Amino acid sequence: SRDGLVDQLEFEGYSHTEAVYGADHCGADWNKQALQKAKDYLEYMAFSYSGLQKQLEFDQFTSAQAKYGVDKCGANWKEQ
């Protein structure tokens, strides 16, 4: 997530301003990143629809990004 990347860059010693600039200019598609993270989670763990959305939000994706990831991940929610 964007905020997760900012946090990571700050942890690595970049100032907040530098970290925000890097996250905002890295060219990431945050919806695509949320989708990939949702698919990654489902490879090793079962989630409900709402549980996966909450997990993505915990990972600092926005609600809209998390919803996109959950909606597009292709999960069979009855199997989950």
Side-chain angles (χ1 to χ4, degrees), residues 42 46-48 74-80:
L42 292 173
F47 279 91
S48 66
N76 180 332
W77 298 112
K78 291 182 181 182
E79 284 183 9
Q80 291 296 314

Side-chain angles (χ1 to χ4, degrees), residues 34-36 38-39 42 52 67-77:
L35 172 58
Q36 186 58 55
K39 288 179 178 181
L42 292 173
L52 184 55
K67 183 173 179 357
Y68 178 90
V70 173
D71 286 345
K72 304 290 184 182
C73 70
N76 180 332
W77 298 112

